[in-house]
Amino acid sequence: MNLRHRGAARACRACAATSLDRVLDLGKMFAADHFPPLEVPVEADPAHALAMDLCRGCGLAQLADDDTVVAEPRGVEPQALRDQAAAAVAAVASADLLTGHTVREFGSPHGGTWIPLLTAHGYTETRTEPADLVIDSFGMMHAPDQRAAAATRAAALRPGGVLLLQFHTLPAILAQGQWNALRHGHFAYYSPTALTALLNAAGLYPMTAWEFDLYGGTVLVAARREPIEPDATVRRLLAADTTSLDPSTVRTLQTAADRQARDLRTWLENETAKGRRMFAYGAASRAVALFAHAGLRRDLLTAVADASPAKHGRRMPGTDIPIVTPAELVAAKPDRVLLTLPDLLPEVETALPALHDRWVVEVPRLS
């Protein structure tokens, strides 16, 4: 039974507790995976409540509600994500944890797969049977029922097997003010404490973990079905996880949202007043909330380029800003290009050398 809809009392997606604190509220926001065709009027774009709650019981930060039903245009997996996947598999192999023969992957709607990397280590993919190795890279966060999702992954793991689960950490989101990590379709934002509680409830026990710079702070945790003492890395992550359980600290994301939106709009107004042509790169889900919260239109931001053919000829939801090809971006000879995903910088600098001195990764803050 889904307790979060049809008028029922709100309950935690992981532990079912009803003591939830609202820590971030963006009001009515446009769906982050719905990119309308250019000819559809902006006024026709539906808006949906977008807010984050923090559970007092287990500490899970979570999407409050989601009534969006849209088909997301398939994006192109960034090189940074592919590189990080290779680094992660190499790290797991170095820890002698790639000892089985079968692998099952719970994929992410955003694309990307680790299966080719693991078949190179002798694994055979299975999609229905319990496996020696279960992979989840940014997948479980897309499940509305987090408790059921964790149980499904536990059931997919053979005794003695290893679950590898990768997630963007809530402590990193807080430290960098990444408020626009909140989006429709992303139902959970894990702290090490909350994720450990969720896995334990499903009979899974973290034993080690690896940290990566992707998205400003990503963790890959390895867990087993058999009780095991966590290693020093897991213990350190748990010991350091103090602020992500405090509602007043998590509420700083609200301040970050308002400040970043204000700074972005002011910067664009100042730059366009000087006659500069302003573009962006990356029609990413995180850019949807940022552009909408800042109230942007194409008089301030001419267009957004993206590598995904599925997004070309469309526009950013809630705005009249079109999505163009990288070739069109280069041909436009922009004065500045705001990069909405900083992880893409090495890739776009290599792919688009004509723009080498135009990239803006961080909008100047107001004094």
Side-chain angles (χ1 to χ4, degrees):
M1 179 179 179
N2 188 338
L3 297 178
R4 303 182 67 83
H5 298 287
R6 300 185 182 278
R10 290 187 298 116
C12 175
R13 297 182 183 276
C15 71
T18 56
S19 298
L20 302 174
D21 292 305
R22 180 62 46 87
V23 289
L24 175 60
D25 195 337
L26 298 176
K28 292 288 187 177
M29 190 58 65
F30 306 98
D33 49 10
H34 174 56
F35 296 89
L38 280 172
E39 62 272 15
V40 174
V42 176
E43 294 74 18
D45 291 356
H48 312 264
L50 182 59
M52 178 188 288
D53 289 341
L54 185 68
C55 177
R56 295 184 188 179
C58 68
L60 182 68
Q62 56 203 272
L63 184 66
D65 290 292
D66 190 355
D67 63 355
T68 63
V69 181
V70 294
E72 179 176 4
R74 177 62 65 185
V76 175
E77 186 183 18
Q79 184 64 46
L81 195 58
R82 297 194 294 271
D83 291 344
Q84 189 275 328
V89 171
V92 177
S94 295
D96 294 325
L97 292 178
L98 296 183
T99 57
H101 302 287
T102 57
V103 59
R104 184 170 173 185
E105 183 175 48
F106 289 85
S108 165
H110 303 303
T113 177
W114 290 19
I115 294 300
L117 296 169
L118 293 163
T119 55
H121 284 270
Y123 281 88
T124 300
E125 183 181 14
T126 176
R127 298 186 178 182
T128 56
E129 300 297 323
D132 300 308
L133 184 65
V134 173
I135 305 295
D136 187 304
S137 179
F138 307 115
M140 194 165 73
M141 66 185 298
H142 295 87
D145 188 335
Q146 287 288 295
R147 182 164 49 178
T152 298
R153 284 148 181 81
L157 188 64
R158 282 182 178 176
V162 175
L163 166 70
L164 295 176
L165 190 147
Q166 182 164 251
F167 62 102
H168 184 200
T169 71
L170 182 61
I173 291 171
L174 292 174
Q176 300 173 39
Q178 297 176 348
W179 61 274
N180 52 345
L182 177 67
R183 54 150 288 183
H184 300 107
H186 287 184
F187 294 95
Y189 306 84
Y190 307 110
S191 65
T193 301
L195 182 65
T196 297
L198 178 60
L199 294 179
N200 287 170
L204 293 167
Y205 302 91
M207 57 178 176
T208 190
W210 300 266
E211 297 174 87
F212 301 93
D213 292 334
L214 186 70
Y215 302 146
T218 293
V219 167
L220 175 67
V221 64
R224 294 189 185 275
R225 287 174 56 180
E226 299 77 20
I228 187 171
E229 186 70 21
D231 73 354
T233 301
V234 174
R235 295 196 303 270
R236 175 176 55 78
L237 289 171
L238 290 171
D241 188 25
T242 56
T243 59
S244 63
L245 304 177
D246 180 5
S248 63
T249 301
V250 184
R251 285 193 183 100
T252 60
L253 292 175
Q254 188 76 56
T255 303
D258 298 339
R259 183 189 66 241
Q260 187 179 9
R262 182 184 69 247
D263 289 352
L264 174 58
R265 184 175 182 89
T266 301
W267 175 67
L268 289 172
E269 289 174 342
N270 291 340
E271 293 295 299
T272 55
K274 297 173 184 175
R276 292 176 178 147
R277 301 190 69 208
M278 310 299 288
F279 284 70
Y281 188 100
S285 59
R286 294 188 189 188
V288 172
L290 175 60
F291 289 6
H293 201 44
L296 302 187
R297 295 291 186 271
R298 65 185 306 172
D299 60 331
L300 292 176
L301 195 66
T302 304
V304 179
D306 197 273
S308 172
K311 295 180 181 179
H312 300 156
R314 296 176 178 269
R315 58 175 174 77
M316 296 296 288
T319 82
D320 59 353
I321 300 171
I323 303 171
V324 300
T325 68
E328 289 174 301
L329 173 65
V330 172
K333 297 181 179 179
D335 294 295
R336 301 282 189 275
V337 183
L338 173 66
L339 190 59
T340 63
L341 292 173
D343 292 289
L344 293 178
L345 185 59
E347 181 177 351
V348 296
E349 285 184 324
T350 300
L352 306 173
L355 303 176
H356 73 280
D357 58 349
R358 315 294 172 84
W359 300 107
V360 176
V361 177
E362 185 175 352
V363 173
R365 291 187 58 175
L366 296 174
S367 58

